Amino acid sequence: MKRIAYVSTFPPRRCGIATFTEHLLNSVRIAGERRDVDPVIVLYNETDGDSAYRNDPKFWPLPAQDRAAYTQMAEQVNRSDVSVVVLQHEFGIFGGEAGEYILDFVHALKKPLVTTFHTIFADPQPPYRRIQQQIADASDAIVVMNRQAISYLTRAFNLPERKIFYIPHGAPEPSGEDRDLLRRRLGFEGRKVMFTFGLLSRGKGIESVITALPGVVREVPETLYVIAGQTHPEVKKREGEAYREELKEMIRRLGLEANVRMIDRYFSEEELIDYLTACDLYVTPYPGMQQITSGTLAYAVGVGRPVLSTPYEHARDLLRGCEELLLPYGDTAAWERQLRRLLADEATMRQWEEKVRQIGAATHWPHVGEQYLKLFAKLCSETDDDAKAAERSEGEVKPIVPVSR
């Protein structure tokens, strides 16, 4: 196997898919002890431009809104020594309605294609159905990060199950810094810390946790709920900081100023790992049960922190065997009861920590990189076998068939 080309966004762009791809590329490189420079076909928009990628040979910049560029890029890949192409698919990062421009790339591509679907619907609707169907059909292998997604894809798109591979969302390992020192540095000493991070929007369900906090604080007064992250840029365009202000007003009204800390800034990955390692409990109270993948949940489990969550798709799959940690959205009494129990009972918290740590160990990036590398090698081997078979067929002496007269 020669070079691997990745199609995705990439840092310095602040995007979950970009960070995912950076980790995937590095983990595959390390797992395979690869010395070749694997190119990144990096999507960029007009706002950011391509200046961060232009002078680095490992980047092949692709303007997201230039439709003709997609076919041109596929032709460049076809002429190259790339052995396999890895597409990170999320509808919003490509040009056209629901990212349809990427279809021009996959249809023109003549190299083996592996697609990781970051969003999968149980019942896909237009225009998403048509686009995802064509990408799935054009792909030689599809990677999903949720086992339930396998049945969704086979049922919705009539795909053979052998074409779909489950590889968990990669996650970092805990911080190497002493946890007590880390907690002291972050101002968590003497507190029972709940943590939520990510781009802020109404779809995160944070208000439901805040509603449950007064009863928790009465029993565990040292409780601290840390909410980290900036407002989602699309939300900010539509309504500014209205949701953040609503949360702040709720905190004031409930008298929780000493128990909730909102941090409105971008967090580097190193900071997130520190905060996750230092917290006592990670919470994802998402109201949408169809969320098939959550990078924030993957990170928390990878770091080995106990999690309290609503039972959305990814949480149900990743936290198999930990169903007590899954609570209905909006059930304030259930959330209050379970939060009190976990934060007040150190022994129970340690038991859950051990269970989650075992789950998370299998999701660390070195393991994930090895699984992707094996998949790439398998596809390249099959492609080589097909090519050799075709060469043998072309070289065979064809029998002479008598011509009837």
Side-chain angles (χ1 to χ4, degrees):
M1 180 168 55
K2 293 183 181 178
R3 295 205 287 170
I4 303 165
Y6 297 83
V7 184
S8 177
T9 54
F10 205 82
R13 182 166 171 179
R14 294 176 178 179
C15 162
I17 305 294
T19 304
F20 179 95
T21 305
E22 182 180 37
H23 283 300
L24 177 60
L25 184 154
N26 288 333
S27 62
V28 169
R29 177 179 55 79
I30 292 169
E33 298 180 346
R34 298 179 57 75
R35 295 182 180 179
D36 291 333
V37 176
D38 292 323
V40 180
I41 299 168
V42 59
L43 278 296
Y44 69 91
N45 53 46
E46 293 177 359
T47 305
D48 298 330
D50 67 343
S51 59
Y53 315 109
R54 197 181 306 136
N55 298 317
D56 189 332
K58 85 172 180 183
F59 293 122
W60 297 359
L62 175 59
Q65 301 304 323
D66 182 354
R67 184 161 195 166
Y70 287 81
T71 300
Q72 293 166 7
M73 182 59 72
E75 292 169 349
Q76 179 178 333
V77 175
N78 293 339
R79 294 191 300 268
S80 74
D81 62 350
V82 165
S83 297
V84 62
V85 176
V86 189
L87 169 64
Q88 299 304 314
H89 182 264
E90 183 59 85
F91 294 99
I93 67 175
F94 306 105
E97 183 184 24
E100 67 178 344
Y101 291 179
I102 192 60
L103 296 179
D104 296 353
F105 176 86
V106 301
H107 290 322
L109 187 68
K110 295 179 181 177
K111 303 279 186 169
L113 175 64
V114 177
T115 298
T116 301
F117 281 133
H118 288 258
T119 294
I120 298 170
F121 304 107
D123 182 22
Q125 298 298 313
Y128 306 104
R129 172 181 284 276
R130 172 182 63 86
I131 294 165
Q132 205 156 32
Q133 176 79 69
Q134 291 187 48
I135 294 171
D137 289 342
S139 299
D140 296 278
I142 295 166
V143 175
V144 297
M145 294 176 278
N146 184 325
R147 283 159 285 215
Q148 182 62 44
I150 297 173
S151 62
Y152 287 175
L153 290 174
T154 55
R155 186 170 61 248
F157 302 126
N158 195 30
L159 298 173
E161 193 169 314
R162 66 179 179 276
K163 189 176 186 177
I164 308 170
F165 299 83
Y166 166 73
I167 301 178
H169 191 299
E173 299 182 40
S175 170
E177 186 175 345
D178 179 83
R179 190 163 179 268
D180 289 337
L181 293 176
L182 188 57
R183 285 173 60 85
R184 193 174 305 130
R185 177 165 65 81
L186 296 177
F188 293 172
E189 192 174 22
R191 308 300 296 264
K192 294 294 180 71
V193 181
M194 301 156 48
F195 184 48
T196 293
F197 80 88
L199 294 173
L200 194 66
S201 70
R202 296 179 191 279
K204 301 293 186 183
I206 292 169
E207 64 277 3
S208 66
V209 177
I210 294 174
T211 302
L213 274 185
V216 177
V217 170
R218 280 193 292 273
E219 185 165 327
V220 190
E222 66 271 30
T223 295
L224 175 64
Y225 183 26
V226 178
I227 304 163
Q230 297 173 311
T231 299
H232 194 291
E234 293 303 316
V235 172
K236 200 166 185 176
K237 286 178 187 176
R238 291 196 308 270
E239 60 176 58
E241 296 288 359
Y243 179 55
R244 185 181 299 275
E245 292 305 317
E246 288 172 22
L247 293 179
K248 288 180 178 179
E249 175 56 32
M250 179 182 290
I251 292 164
R252 285 191 293 268
R253 178 164 44 81
L254 295 174
L256 295 169
E257 293 95 332
N259 302 97
V260 182
R261 184 185 300 172
M262 297 188 74
I263 308 175
D264 179 12
R265 63 177 174 81
Y266 174 76
F267 273 58
S268 68
E269 178 150 322
E270 291 74 15
E271 285 183 289
L272 287 176
I273 294 170
D274 284 348
Y275 271 76
L276 283 167
T277 303
C279 78
D280 296 287
L281 182 67
Y282 189 75
V283 292
T284 55
Y286 302 158
M289 295 301 101
Q290 288 72 46
Q291 185 161 344
I292 203 80
T293 306
S294 168
T296 63
L297 176 68
Y299 270 45
V301 171
V303 171
R305 302 320 302 155
V307 175
L308 204 59
S309 176
T310 49
Y312 56 90
E313 294 280 11
H314 195 194
R316 288 209 312 271
D317 183 67
L318 190 57
L319 294 171
R320 289 183 181 187
C322 303
E323 283 72 21
E324 287 181 54
L325 300 178
L326 304 179
L327 302 176
Y329 172 74
D331 188 339
T332 302
W335 277 83
E336 180 184 323
R337 186 166 55 250
Q338 190 69 304
L339 284 169
R340 284 202 319 262
R341 175 170 174 260
L342 290 173
L343 294 175
D345 188 340
E346 191 73 23
T348 298
M349 188 77 91
R350 295 290 76 78
Q351 290 173 2
W352 284 120
E353 183 177 342
E354 182 56 33
K355 283 188 177 182
V356 173
R357 184 182 288 117
Q358 291 174 12
I359 295 170
T363 71
H364 292 158
W365 276 113
H367 301 298
V368 170
E370 288 173 4
Q371 292 179 69
Y372 270 94
L373 185 64
K374 287 177 182 176
L375 175 57
F376 300 158
K378 177 178 182 290
L379 278 183
C380 291
S381 175
E382 290 173 354
T383 302
D384 290 343
D385 289 344
D386 290 344
K388 289 174 183 176
E391 288 174 5
R392 286 196 299 270
S393 177
E394 289 175 4
E396 289 174 359
V397 177
K398 303 294 191 296
I400 299 174
V401 180
V403 178
S404 301
R405 295 185 183 273

